[in-house]
Amino acid sequence: MNREDFPMMNTGYIYLDNGATTWKPKYVLDKINNYYTNYTANAHRGDYDLSLKVDSEYENARDIVKEFINANSRKEIIFTSGTTESLNIIANGFFKEILEPGDEIIISESEHASNILPWFNLAKTNGINIKYCPLDDNHYVTLNNLKKVITKNTKVISLAHITNVIGDLRPIKEITEFAHANNIFVVVDGAQSIPHIKTDVKDLDIDFLAFSGHKMCGPTGIGVLYGKLELLEHVTPQNLGGGMNESFDNVNEVYLKSLPTRLEAGTPNIEGAIGLGAAIEYLQNIGLDKISEHEKNLRKYLVSKLSEIKHIDIINEESDSGVVSFNVDGIFAQDVAVYLNKYKICVRAGSHCAKILKNEVGVKNTVRISIYFYNTKEEIDKLIELLKDKNKILNEML
Ligand code: PMP
């Protein structure tokens, strides 16, 4: 679908590592290029036309994000460098100040490092306890399992909407409903979901949401922190400096600007925001429903083909997204990736930053295929052809 929009298609690679980052369409590249070619200036600073144009494009990108996730207000959209920074801001700028020793945060063992390590840090500094939601037989989080670990001390549940190794879609709406009835905040890591499924923060009643531009056809170094306005108002800026202050004097009196600028100190990632806005326009033009449908069908095809191969063990046969993790019997995951690379097929191998998932799944490393709307059956056929013959893999690994 829409393959002609992507200059990277001319390289001849078969790119199946979209969970790591996606390729960028010309539409996005042109928007970024246009900023540097035709209206380079800083944002929020100028009293001249060029800078006003930058302001208007930068703030327009914020409006595009707001509409995309159906936020209530543009003030709820903070540009960050990505999911990782967004989650760190939530942990350190909000929860660090309100959590007390003995409070509990629930995560799962299939979270990405970015949704584990900031909480580990709070455990150290604030004396809070980290608890893990037990996963079911498919390695999924269910509300019933969450209820088993929720106690009166639970203050936060922080989960990926879709995980990056198992690819399961968590029942966020059910979770927020139960959590909010029990005064528990819900943080959602949307890195692997926002690019693939329609997400409505109001309908899901999410308190905080983090995602990255580069996994959704946008540039690297830009992402979003969404928070309900009444919560974001209490987030302490982790960066202090230009742009975010109204005024200060020489006796330490600092007056900060209102949201969203208060949380965006320094020169922002202007090209990033403009690029992300363009990426969202591009995805919306195709339609998120169409994207999800294509990925669902392609996943089905991939899993059916992989399961015909006796020496392949699929870790997440039943899953909801375009992420398929597997191993080839007796062959180290990295060796499989290196073998496929000889044929210009890009897949990821390793623990995929979900380093404690091995406790649940029983294997440390896997080969991961993560598809996007521009992948095709023909590409899957080429992959399957190369994986079918185990002797060929063994011979060519040497
Ligand atoms: N969470 C999940 C589920 C991810 O897959 C990733 C990226 N692999 C991240 C968080 C971190 O995203 P970023 O590196 O863009 O900050």
Side-chain angles (χ1 to χ4, degrees):
M1 196 193 286
N2 293 66
R3 288 170 70 81
E4 63 286 357
D5 297 341
F6 291 81
M8 278 296 292
M9 291 296 168
N10 300 326
T11 61
Y13 280 101
I14 293 180
Y15 188 71
L16 299 171
D17 193 19
N18 294 285
T21 200
T22 62
W23 283 356
K24 322 301 171 196
K26 195 166 176 303
Y27 182 72
V28 169
L29 301 176
D30 286 349
K31 286 269 181 166
I32 295 170
N33 198 23
N34 188 31
Y35 162 60
Y36 284 125
T37 309
N38 295 316
Y39 62 97
T40 298
N42 209 328
H44 304 319
R45 309 265 153 95
D47 297 310
Y48 49 91
D49 287 349
L50 267 188
S51 182
L52 292 174
K53 161 85 173 152
V54 176
D55 265 357
S56 122
E57 292 293 330
Y58 183 76
E59 293 304 327
N60 180 47
R62 198 187 309 279
D63 288 332
I64 293 173
V65 174
K66 171 197 167 267
E67 294 298 319
F68 184 56
I69 61 171
N70 197 28
N72 258 328
S73 158
R74 59 196 318 285
K75 291 182 179 177
E76 295 175 323
I77 308 299
I78 309 299
F79 286 123
T80 64
S81 65
T83 308
T84 303
E85 188 185 17
S86 299
L87 290 170
N88 275 277
I89 293 173
I90 296 164
N92 298 321
F94 186 75
F95 288 111
K96 194 172 189 155
E97 306 200 353
I98 63 167
L99 294 183
E100 295 176 353
D103 285 348
E104 294 168 356
I105 295 179
I106 299 177
I107 56 175
S108 83
E109 291 200 328
S110 44
E111 299 312 305
H112 186 277
S114 300
N115 190 28
I116 298 179
L117 300 188
W119 305 120
F120 277 5
N121 202 38
L122 277 199
K124 271 194 203 144
T125 57
N126 284 34
I128 55 137
N129 299 320
I130 310 284
K131 292 175 88 176
Y132 297 96
C133 173
L135 304 182
D136 73 3
D137 290 347
N138 285 326
H139 317 299
Y140 292 0
V141 162
T142 62
L143 180 58
N144 270 344
N145 278 355
L146 262 178
K147 285 180 185 170
K148 289 180 193 160
V149 283
I150 289 175
T151 71
K152 62 177 187 349
N153 295 325
T154 306
K155 295 286 156 52
V156 187
I157 296 171
S158 186
L159 294 170
H161 199 173
I162 292 180
T163 56
N164 66 316
V165 181
I166 301 300
D168 55 317
L169 175 74
R170 269 76 179 269
I172 295 297
K173 193 168 174 169
E174 272 179 37
I175 293 172
T176 53
E177 219 170 80
F178 184 81
H180 292 154
N182 291 279
N183 293 320
I184 300 168
F185 292 104
V186 179
V187 176
V188 175
D189 167 358
Q192 298 291 347
S193 54
I194 295 280
H196 305 278
I197 56 168
K198 230 180 203 156
T199 306
D200 180 330
V201 289
K202 271 201 288 234
D203 179 52
L204 297 174
D205 202 17
I206 292 168
D207 296 313
F208 290 107
L209 170 74
F211 60 96
S212 302
H214 69 96
K215 293 182 197 285
M216 52 191 293
C217 294
T220 54
I222 187 78
V224 170
L225 159 61
Y226 157 83
K228 285 179 181 163
L229 192 57
E230 65 271 25
L231 303 180
L232 268 190
E233 293 285 8
H234 297 285
V235 172
T236 304
Q238 300 301 293
N239 289 328
L240 303 169
M244 51 83 77
N245 75 82
E246 199 70 68
S247 67
F248 54 91
D249 59 23
N250 61 0
V251 288
N252 236 345
E253 205 67 60
V254 185
Y255 298 93
L256 300 184
K257 284 194 177 149
S258 58
L259 289 172
T261 323
R262 186 165 64 81
L263 295 176
E264 294 178 359
T267 295
N269 183 351
I270 299 165
E271 60 152 291
I274 291 169
L276 173 58
I280 292 173
E281 284 177 335
Y282 177 80
L283 294 178
Q284 282 181 317
N285 203 29
I286 299 175
L288 263 285
D289 289 339
K290 215 167 141 192
I291 289 172
S292 304
E293 189 60 24
H294 176 80
E295 289 174 13
K296 217 163 96 187
N297 292 334
L298 200 56
R299 174 186 218 280
K300 233 188 230 164
Y301 183 71
L302 168 62
V303 168
S304 77
K305 290 285 170 189
L306 279 177
S307 37
E308 284 169 10
I309 306 177
K310 271 213 300 282
H311 53 264
I312 283 189
D313 180 24
I314 307 172
I315 309 294
N316 62 340
E317 199 154 338
E318 305 294 328
S319 206
D320 316 279
S321 69
V323 177
V324 179
S325 298
F326 66 93
N327 270 311
V328 179
D329 257 3
I331 303 181
F332 190 48
Q334 235 96 31
D335 289 335
V336 176
V338 170
Y339 161 76
L340 292 173
N341 177 55
K342 286 188 186 167
Y343 297 90
K344 297 189 91 172
I345 297 183
C346 309
V347 300
R348 177 102 183 262
S351 65
H352 318 292
C353 293
K355 290 197 166 50
I356 50 180
L357 179 61
K358 62 179 186 297
N359 301 341
E360 289 277 350
V361 178
V363 287
K364 191 171 162 203
N365 294 309
T366 56
V367 182
R368 183 186 72 180
I369 292 166
S370 46
I371 53 184
Y372 212 11
F373 58 88
Y374 42 66
N375 291 124
T376 63
K377 274 189 172 176
E378 290 68 31
E379 289 180 324
I380 301 299
D381 288 340
K382 277 191 193 147
L383 170 83
I384 295 295
E385 209 44 51
L386 287 165
L387 289 174
K388 251 184 193 164
D389 188 346
K390 190 171 167 187
N391 282 333
K392 181 174 159 68
I393 307 178
L394 284 167
N395 287 337
E396 294 193 18
M397 256 170 55
L398 301 173

